[in-house]
């Protein structure tokens, strides 16, 4: 079998060169890191891969890439220019596989294991040889923490000793900047707890969760006021929640109605549901502030409601757009739906704003959790996800 040599700056680049030249059936012979034997700025290192076209019986050898649909079965037909294909995970033959039953195929299996081990070690070598700051930045990027916030968090990474656990170090950096709002529903009243935020993020559902917890679990005297007379169905949704929880509910279209409802109900904690406030809608912002200012003598918790899966830039814009009602804390909703929730931290850390709650589902009131540093870290940058580093 004729092996050829391919080079790239990374394993991916070298493998792409193999694939482009020999097709997706190519067999990998060996992988190693080589240098140009120069030092200083002239020095460079490459990944060198030897590979050959696939033989006729590819099952006995490592198939680097699974055969694509419609591809010919003759291995040498893969010499035609390779079609673009996503490399897929290689699956070693299982114990029941016919390939594993003969001594010849067992040695094939051994070859496969060795090849895989070599590729794995090389990948590890390539990533661990990156400077800690670069690695730390890419760990944050994969958690969706980017830009200036990421730059601030990785500051100091280059002074870390080799082999440091960068994920643990980054968790500590985030923890040092996080603050947690003492659970508003457990604090003394009279209080106003207001959820503000963009459309559909879970403001009303969170108000219902909080009202249920405060009333049913903590025995507080609770009322709900809706300032959302804008969205169709919003009042009915909140009224229904009020009935189910067993607390009073009012709708207020202006400051006078809001003040009336507050005085009449005289609740220990009043939860306020609001309509989304587009940044451009200054009159809506004025109206909200006007109403809230009517609640004199009550401690006010204005909680900016942010979905976990939000894009970092959108989270920053959101925090700016909602400055006017002067948020005192943040609720992160839909944690259950987000693969990476670092984006939401972009609404929290730059200022920083204290975190109040995490919502992990739509169920009232189960899917509500008072935020702790640990729960936020575990959601944003979980340990046990190191293979992603
Ligand atoms: N998966 C999931 N769904 C949620 C969560 N919180 C709320 N929802 C769902 O999100 C949808 C919108 O929730 P709402 O509470 O109506 O959102 P809103 O911010 O009040 O929406 P508008 O009043 O239209 O601005 C509903 O289907 C909720 O059940 C959560 O933490 N996880
Ligand atoms: Mg709503």
């Amino acid at each position: 079998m004729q092996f050829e040599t391919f080079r790239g700056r990374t394993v991916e680049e070298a493998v792409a060169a193999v694939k482009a030249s020999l097709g997706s059936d190519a067999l990998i012979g060996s992988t190693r890191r080589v240098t140009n034997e120069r030092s200083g700025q002239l020095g460079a290192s490459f990944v060198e891969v030897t590979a050959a076209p696939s033989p006729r019986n590819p099952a006995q050898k490592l198939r680097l890439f699974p055969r694509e649909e419609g591809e010919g079965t003759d291995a040498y037909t893969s010499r035609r220019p390779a079609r673009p294909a996503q490399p897929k995970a290689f699956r070693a033959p299982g114990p029941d596989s016919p390939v594993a039953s003969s001594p010849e195929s067992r040695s094939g299996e051994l070859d496969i294991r060795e090849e895989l081990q070599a590729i794995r070690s090389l990948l590890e070598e390539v990533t661990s040889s990156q400077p800690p700051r670069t690695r730390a930045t890419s760990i944050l990027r994969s958690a969706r923490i980017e830009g200036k916030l990421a730059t601030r968090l990785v500051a100091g990474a280059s002074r870390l000793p080799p082999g440091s656990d960068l994920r643990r170090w980054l968790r500590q950096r985030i923890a040092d900047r996080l603050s947690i709002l003492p659970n508003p529903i457990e604090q003394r009243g009279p209080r106003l707890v207001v959820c503000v935020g963009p459309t559909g993020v879970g403001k009303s559902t969170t108000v219902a969760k909080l009202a249920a917890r405060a009333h049913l679990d903590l025995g507080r005297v609770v009322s709900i006021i809706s300032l959302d007379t804008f969205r169709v169905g919003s009042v009915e949704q909140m009224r229904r929640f009020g009935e189910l929880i067993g607390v009073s509910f009012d709708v207020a279209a202006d400051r006078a109605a809001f003040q009336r409802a507050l005085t009449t109900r005289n609740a220990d904690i009043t939860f306020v549901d609001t309509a989304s406030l587009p940044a451009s809608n200054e009159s809506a912002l004025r109206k909200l502030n006007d109403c809230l200012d009517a609640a004199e003598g009550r401690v006010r918790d204005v909680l900016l409601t942010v979905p976990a899966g939000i894009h970092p830039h959108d989270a920053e814009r959101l925090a700016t757009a909602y400055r006017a009602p002067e948020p005192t804390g943040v609720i992160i909703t839909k944690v259950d739906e987000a693969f990476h929730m670092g984006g939401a931290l972009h609404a929290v850390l730059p200022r920083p704003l204290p975190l109040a709650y995490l919502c992990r589902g739509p169920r009232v009131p189960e899917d509500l959790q008072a935020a702790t540093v640990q729960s936020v870290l575990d959601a944003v940058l979980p340990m046990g996800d190191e293979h992603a580093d």
Side-chain angles (χ1 to χ4, degrees), residues 197-206 209 228 231 234 237 241 273-276 305 332-337 359-363 367:
T199 313
V201 293
K203 299 180 294 295
S204 305
T205 311
T206 309
K209 289 173 184 173
D228 184 2
R231 186 173 67 72
S234 162
Q237 177 194 22
F241 275 133
D273 187 29
T274 63
S276 71
T305 313
I332 301 183
T333 56
K334 309 199 179 187
V335 175
D336 56 307
E337 285 183 348
C359 294
R360 298 181 182 275
R363 291 175 311 162
D367 296 326

Side-chain angles (χ1 to χ4, degrees), residues 207-335:
V207 160
K209 289 173 184 173
L210 290 168
R213 281 279 167 86
H215 180 62
L216 303 174
D217 295 353
L218 304 174
R220 312 292 293 264
V221 178
V222 164
S223 79
I224 301 176
I225 303 178
S226 174
L227 292 176
D228 184 2
T229 49
F230 173 71
R231 186 173 67 72
V232 177
S234 162
V235 167
E236 288 71 22
Q237 177 194 22
M238 221 54 247
R239 191 187 303 285
R240 186 77 188 116
F241 275 133
E243 281 167 10
L244 291 170
I245 302 162
V247 298
S248 62
F249 171 74
D250 297 281
V251 186
D254 54 29
R255 178 185 171 113
F258 185 71
Q259 205 158 28
R260 237 185 347 266
L262 278 178
T263 318
T264 315
R265 304 298 183 183
N266 196 22
D268 200 19
I269 310 183
T270 303
F271 292 96
V272 183
D273 187 29
T274 63
S276 71
L277 301 171
S280 52
N281 192 341
E282 284 183 15
S283 75
L285 271 173
R286 257 200 312 278
K287 187 181 142 196
L288 173 64
N289 277 341
D290 198 31
C291 287
L292 299 184
D293 286 345
E296 284 161 352
R298 286 177 165 78
V299 183
R300 194 194 296 179
D301 291 300
V302 179
L303 304 177
L304 178 59
T305 313
V306 180
I310 192 168
H311 189 281
H313 290 169
D314 293 339
E316 278 164 18
R317 269 185 233 126
L318 191 67
T320 309
Y322 279 83
R323 249 185 209 153
E326 296 175 8
T328 53
V330 172
I331 299 173
I332 301 183
T333 56
K334 309 199 179 187
V335 175

Side-chain angles (χ1 to χ4, degrees), residues 121-133:
S121 319
L122 201 61
L123 271 172
E124 272 162 22
E125 193 196 314
V126 169
T127 37
S128 66
S129 66
Q130 286 175 340
R133 194 186 156 89

Side-chain angles (χ1 to χ4, degrees), residues 142-145 306-310 312 332-346 348 355 357-360 375-382:
S142 60
R144 269 197 135 177
I145 300 173
V306 180
I310 192 168
I332 301 183
T333 56
K334 309 199 179 187
V335 175
D336 56 307
E337 285 183 348
F339 285 110
H340 306 289
M341 60 164 271
L345 282 195
H346 284 252
V348 175
L355 263 163
Y357 299 104
L358 300 181
C359 294
R360 298 181 182 275
S375 63
V376 176
L377 291 176
D378 288 348
V380 172
L381 211 58

